[in-house]
Amino acid sequence: MNIIIKEIHKKDKSAIKSLIAKNKYNPYANLGFYRDVDRLNNYYYGLFFAGRNIKVLSAIHRNEIVGLLTFSISKWDSEVFGMKMAKLGYITAIGNYAVELAVKSKLIDNAIKHLRKQNTKHLLIRVASNDFSSIHALENNGFKIMDNLLTFILRERRIIFPEVERWFKVKKITKGELESAGDILTNSNFVGHYFVDPMIPVLKAKRMYRKWLEDKYEHPKDSDILVAKRRNKIVGCSFFSFNNLLKKYTGLETLHRGLIAVDPSAKGCSIALINAQIKRRKNLDFAEFETQTYNYGMMDIIQRLNMRLIRSRYTFHKVIK
């Protein structure tokens, strides 16, 4: 199969949107209650050029675009970890399994070659856990799995298990509380994908989450850091971002990219933090909660709150030599 790889630009909107519409692994394909596919496809297209340094590769076969892959340098991660890091983003191809595997393998290989020339050392991507052509193309290119991330949504606007509100005082964080909240974040049972990457020292992974917390405080944009106190001691913290791009294209008011970390002894604290985050957004359509399959404590809370699964993804890392 003769595949030509070329960089594609914003002016090629119709070609990009055509492939987006055919991708059954789109992030909100299983949202269920929202069925305006055209608006969601516009949102996915918006993701392609949401950042200044995002590049889009196209795979061409017989003068037809049959695959797309976005990638970008991760400036923030690179600064924190002291090496140039990058992310592969949206990946799709059309055809049967064999065709998809060939197209995606070629796209990934070309992105790696491009990033290697820029002295990039580390690469990350997340793909749907049932997107087997992407998974196998990544494995064939030397990527290793780091976690299985599940995304749930909560549409409930009422306060859930109100009794927990009496057990904790939940408030917006102050600068003087950042260190204690950072301790909760790095010493809780939370284990992110960087913690299991042998190339990333555990201390650097912990420093990354502290830096993330500090930057959220210094540049809050559309997110607030909340802390939960019990007997005047911080036992939990959480923060979520407002999805401005999704609202722009669909009108949906949503929270995403969140994190909840609690002291293991603080039973009910996660629910108190969830309640507080939801109360701060009066017109919220839904909130997204993400956790690894092996985070049994959070999975138990998700089941108790009757959240609905909408997405399952694998996180892959690769060291570029």
Side-chain angles (χ1 to χ4, degrees):
M1 185 176 182
N2 185 28
I3 303 169
I4 299 171
I5 305 298
K6 288 185 178 180
E7 188 173 345
I8 196 170
H9 302 282
K10 201 170 185 178
K11 61 183 176 63
D12 301 297
K13 181 176 181 178
S14 60
I16 295 173
K17 291 189 73 174
S18 175
L19 262 74
I20 287 173
K22 297 173 184 175
N23 185 10
K24 57 182 175 289
Y25 306 112
N26 281 325
Y28 290 107
N30 299 307
L31 194 56
F33 70 90
Y34 186 83
R35 301 186 184 278
D36 194 329
V37 177
D38 289 336
R39 287 192 174 191
L40 284 173
N41 287 340
N42 286 335
Y43 165 69
Y44 305 138
Y45 172 78
L47 289 174
F48 272 64
F49 302 100
R52 293 180 180 178
N53 68 336
I54 295 177
K55 294 187 179 297
V56 185
L57 295 181
S58 65
I60 302 169
H61 178 60
R62 294 178 180 174
N63 296 319
E64 180 186 1
I65 295 178
V66 294
L68 296 169
L69 172 65
T70 66
F71 66 95
S72 59
I73 298 296
S74 305
K75 185 178 178 181
W76 188 87
D77 300 63
S78 301
E79 291 174 355
V80 171
F81 289 111
M83 61 179 167
K84 186 169 279 191
M85 304 176 79
K87 293 179 182 178
L88 301 183
Y90 193 99
I91 184 168
T92 188
I94 53 175
N96 59 31
Y97 167 82
V99 171
E100 287 187 3
L101 180 63
V103 170
K104 291 176 180 179
S105 296
K106 194 83 179 260
L107 285 165
I108 293 166
D109 183 63
N110 272 261
I112 291 170
K113 287 177 180 176
H114 181 93
L115 291 164
R116 185 180 285 118
K117 289 178 182 177
Q118 297 185 51
N119 200 33
T120 306
K121 300 298 182 184
H122 192 277
L123 195 50
L124 177 151
I125 184 173
R126 284 194 171 113
V127 296
S129 57
N130 60 335
D131 182 1
F132 296 108
S133 59
S134 290
I135 293 167
H136 297 158
L138 291 166
E139 290 175 336
N140 291 344
N141 273 281
F143 283 77
K144 293 182 178 180
I145 190 169
M146 295 294 148
D147 71 12
N148 182 191
L149 195 66
L150 303 179
T151 305
F152 297 83
I153 61 168
L154 180 67
R155 298 191 68 199
E156 187 64 74
R157 289 191 177 94
R158 66 180 176 85
I159 300 303
I160 310 154
F161 298 117
E163 62 270 19
V164 302
E165 304 244 313
R166 301 193 300 269
W167 306 345
F168 305 97
K169 178 184 178 182
V170 179
K171 58 182 281 293
K172 194 172 179 179
I173 197 170
T174 64
K175 189 171 184 177
E177 294 168 332
L178 280 171
E179 185 173 351
S180 295
D183 290 341
I184 293 292
L185 185 58
T186 56
N187 296 324
S188 69
N189 291 331
F190 170 74
V191 180
H193 54 100
Y194 284 124
F195 284 95
V196 296
D197 187 333
M199 190 176 179
I200 306 293
V202 172
L203 288 178
K204 282 194 174 183
K206 288 188 174 185
R207 186 179 69 185
M208 186 275 290
Y209 285 104
R210 282 188 183 273
K211 183 73 166 61
W212 191 18
L213 188 69
E214 292 165 3
D215 283 3
K216 282 282 185 183
Y217 178 81
E218 295 294 338
H219 309 285
K221 293 183 181 178
D222 290 292
S223 59
D224 288 331
I225 305 172
L226 302 182
V227 291
K229 286 188 167 184
R230 184 178 60 187
R231 294 189 289 275
N232 209 34
K233 179 185 176 183
I234 292 176
V235 291
C237 68
S238 73
F239 49 85
F240 288 83
S241 298
F242 187 70
N243 194 336
N244 288 308
L245 198 64
L246 188 63
K247 183 180 180 182
K248 175 183 175 180
Y249 287 104
T250 68
L252 292 170
E253 303 255 0
T254 63
L255 293 176
H256 72 152
R257 293 179 182 170
L259 192 148
I260 297 174
V262 301
D263 185 307
S265 68
K267 304 298 182 185
C269 185
S270 294
I271 295 174
L273 287 164
I274 289 170
N275 281 340
Q277 289 286 0
I278 291 172
K279 280 199 298 185
R280 295 175 77 82
R281 298 283 181 176
K282 293 182 180 179
N283 300 313
L284 197 66
D285 287 293
F286 65 88
E288 294 184 29
F289 296 87
E290 294 185 327
T291 190
Q292 292 87 357
T293 51
Y294 47 79
N295 189 340
Y296 300 112
M298 192 63 195
M299 290 291 287
D300 180 58
I301 292 168
I302 284 167
Q303 289 174 329
R304 290 173 66 195
L305 300 187
N306 200 28
M307 295 189 196
R308 191 165 69 81
L309 178 68
I310 64 162
R311 196 182 305 130
S312 173
R313 295 176 295 167
Y314 288 126
T315 303
F316 286 90
H317 291 186
K318 177 181 172 63
V319 176
I320 301 178
K321 299 178 181 178

